[in-house]
């Protein structure tokens, strides 16, 4: 049985208390954040956390992000808190930034995928913050999708993946950012960007100086012990995805040619992008990079349902939010990229 709580228009503290008590009882509650929906459980309860892995079909070595509602919780979870963590938190929390720090014993290894570090984030969403506060627990929450599917940006996406399999889903409407948080490892110097996300790395560098970008961000096959999340093919629709990168006009031209070629071969073709195309299916992502990020996973899920054989996607420039968008697109494409 899954309770669905509708809180699209207005926050209801009484209902949030119910969800918070489920968390305390070791149950699973999906909730909105500003980035994507999370599948939450008490981060300090091993059995509850194990259920997250089971429900998602997630490999046990891929660690979870622990969500907090007050900065003081960092000191409960992390053994050492460098000054840079405080500076970043002060500037960007609550917000789409996850900080990796050495873990305290209190944090179970199930939560950290066996690592000696813990990833911590304070989400910028009233529902999430209330849920964490009312439960009185740090909440471990990966994106609320079955492993391998695009992350959920609406409660419907969560319902599609988990209805009947978790105790509660809080519907807070569409998420604002649409791509997951930026993950930065502060246990090394210089700090390492493990996953580009909703907070551009350029913004982080303005506060703490140079950040090294983990090669896995660009899809390079390297030692992935520190970035376990990068090992797995993510965000993959059933159809074959091809990303076309380059100057806008050329991309548009090449995609039009590809549509024609593929149609000739009898394929059903879907296109996602910010230009208009005549294809079997078309999903308009928007004009600004913010809109593109917000709509990306929805577009991939749409194409999944539309039964197309091939999805052609416009590449975007890899700066600001564009780095996260391209990282997700490349993964969805299994690195099938055409450069024009
Ligand atoms: O925006 C988000 O981050 C969303 C919302 C729900 O907060 N959560 C999310 O969680 O995207 P998930 O589990 O889908 O992605 C967590 C990422 C993975 O790539 C994981 O490998 C990495 O964070 N991660 C977690 N703990 C880590 C650690 N101790 N060291 C290195 N990477 C870690
Ligand atoms: Mg995820």
């Amino acid at each position: 049985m899954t309770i669905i709580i509708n809180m699209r228009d207005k926050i209801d503290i009484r209902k949030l208390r119910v969800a918070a008590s489920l968390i305390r009882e070791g149950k699973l509650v999906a909730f909105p954040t500003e980035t994507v929906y999370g599948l939450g459980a008490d981060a300090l309860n091993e059995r509850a956390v194990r259920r997250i892995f089971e429900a998602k079909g997630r490999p046990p070595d891929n660690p979870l992000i622990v969500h907090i509602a007050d900065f003081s919780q960092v000191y409960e979870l992390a053994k050492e808190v460098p000054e840079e963590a405080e500076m970043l938190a002060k500037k960007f929390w609550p917000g789409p930034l996850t900080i990796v720090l050495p873990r305290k014993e209190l944090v179970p290894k199930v939560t950290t995928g066996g690592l000696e570090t813990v990833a911590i984030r304070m989400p910028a969403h009233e529902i999430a913050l209330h849920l964490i506060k009312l439960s009185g627990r740090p909440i471990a929450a990966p994106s609320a999708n079955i492993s391998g599917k695009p992350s959920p940006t609406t409660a419907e996406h969560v319902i599609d993946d988990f209805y009947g399999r978790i105790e509660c889903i809080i519907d807070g409407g569409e998420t604002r950012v649409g791509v997951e948080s930026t993950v930065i490892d502060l246990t090394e110097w210089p700090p390492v960007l493990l996953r580009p996300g909703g907070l551009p790395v350029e913004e982080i560098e303005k506060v703490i100086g140079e950040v090294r970008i983990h090669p896995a961000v660009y899809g390079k096959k390297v030692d992935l012990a520190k970035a376990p999340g990068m090992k797995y093919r993510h965000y993959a629709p059933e159809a074959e995805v091809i990303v076309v990168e380059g100057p806008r006009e050329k991309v548009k031209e090449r995609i039009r040619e590809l549509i024609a070629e593929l149609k000739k071969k009898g394929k059903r073709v879907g296109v996602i992008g910010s230009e208009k195309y005549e294809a079997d299916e078309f999903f308009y992502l928007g004009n600004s990079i913010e809109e593109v990020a917000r709509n990306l996973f929805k577009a991939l899920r749409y194409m999944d349902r539309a039964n197309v054989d091939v999805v052609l996607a416009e590449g975007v420039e890899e700066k600001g939010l564009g780095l996260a968008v391209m990282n997700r697109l490349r993964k969805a494409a299994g690195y099938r990229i055409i450069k024009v």
Side-chain angles (χ1 to χ4, degrees):
M1 251 286 281
T2 305
I3 310 170
I4 297 177
I5 304 178
N6 182 344
M7 249 182 261
R8 287 190 192 197
D9 302 320
K10 186 160 146 284
I11 288 184
D12 182 333
I13 294 290
R14 204 176 44 86
K15 288 181 181 164
L16 277 170
R17 279 211 184 92
V18 174
S21 62
L22 289 172
I23 293 283
R24 272 198 304 276
E25 290 163 19
K27 304 291 199 303
L28 303 189
V29 176
F31 61 95
T33 79
E34 80 281 31
T35 56
V36 301
Y37 276 74
L39 179 57
D42 178 351
L44 308 182
N45 178 337
E46 279 187 39
R47 275 184 48 199
V49 170
R50 247 184 221 113
R51 277 196 58 210
I52 294 181
F53 284 88
E54 280 163 24
K56 276 185 64 98
R58 182 177 176 106
D61 66 346
N62 193 2
L64 308 180
I65 295 171
V66 178
H67 296 70
I68 60 172
D70 189 288
F71 187 75
S72 64
Q73 290 177 284
V74 168
Y75 302 102
E76 290 162 27
L77 302 167
K79 202 153 61 179
E80 289 142 46
V81 183
E83 202 191 338
E84 287 74 17
E86 289 169 357
M87 288 157 69
L88 288 174
K90 197 161 174 208
K91 178 98 192 185
F92 300 116
W93 278 359
L97 173 68
T98 295
I99 300 175
V100 175
L101 295 171
R103 99 184 149 99
K104 269 194 178 161
E105 289 294 316
L106 172 79
V107 185
K109 278 209 170 176
V110 216
T111 306
T112 67
L115 295 176
E116 287 305 330
T117 53
V118 57
I120 308 174
R121 145 166 144 86
M122 191 192 294
H125 197 294
E126 283 307 311
I127 292 178
L129 290 171
H130 279 300
L131 182 68
I132 300 163
K133 276 186 204 147
L134 291 170
S135 71
R137 304 281 203 281
I139 296 184
S143 50
N145 53 282
I146 303 274
S147 269
K149 282 217 200 179
S151 291
T153 55
T154 67
E156 287 73 35
H157 295 159
V158 184
I159 291 168
D160 286 344
D161 285 9
F162 293 113
Y163 188 79
R165 303 178 52 209
I166 62 177
E167 282 74 20
C168 179
I169 298 171
I170 305 174
D171 183 349
E174 271 195 50
T175 60
R176 176 171 58 81
V177 177
V179 291
E180 304 90 338
S181 63
T182 302
V183 181
I184 185 150
D185 184 353
L186 290 185
T187 67
E188 286 202 45
W189 200 260
V192 185
L193 176 78
L194 296 179
R195 178 178 73 179
L199 179 70
V201 66
E202 294 90 333
E203 295 297 313
I204 296 175
E205 288 186 317
K206 280 184 204 157
V207 178
I208 58 167
E210 198 206 330
V211 169
R212 190 168 78 82
I213 298 189
H214 196 289
V217 167
Y218 298 110
K220 303 219 170 82
K221 299 264 177 332
V222 285
D223 176 20
L224 292 174
K226 290 230 165 180
M230 297 294 198
K231 278 195 291 213
Y232 304 102
R233 183 166 176 236
H234 277 213
Y235 324 114
E238 313 270 312
E240 180 180 3
V241 180
I242 301 171
V243 183
V244 184
E245 279 184 42
R248 221 169 146 142
E249 281 308 309
K250 289 208 166 150
V251 166
K252 198 160 92 181
E253 201 183 300
R254 188 77 186 97
I255 289 183
R256 293 209 163 116
E257 288 166 11
L258 283 166
I259 296 172
E261 284 167 28
L262 289 160
K263 296 294 299 167
K264 229 181 258 168
K265 290 186 193 154
K267 305 262 188 202
R268 253 177 75 73
V269 184
V271 182
I272 61 179
S274 301
E275 301 283 349
K276 296 265 187 277
Y277 298 94
E278 297 286 331
D280 295 302
E281 297 286 347
F282 172 63
F283 198 106
Y284 177 70
L285 287 179
N287 243 326
S288 63
I289 189 65
E290 285 77 18
E291 279 178 80
V292 170
R294 193 178 305 138
N295 289 319
L296 182 66
F297 289 137
K298 206 197 221 179
L300 289 173
R301 281 197 180 236
Y302 175 85
M303 288 301 167
D304 237 351
R305 293 203 153 195
N307 262 318
V308 292
D309 302 305
V310 183
V311 177
L312 302 173
E314 282 176 355
V316 298
E317 212 186 327
E318 268 178 309
K319 59 169 204 221
L321 269 180
L323 186 62
V325 168
M326 279 309 287
N327 171 266
R328 307 306 189 270
L329 269 179
R330 282 204 198 94
K331 283 194 191 180
Y335 305 101
R336 272 179 301 269
I337 294 156
I338 296 179
K339 293 212 162 106
V340 291

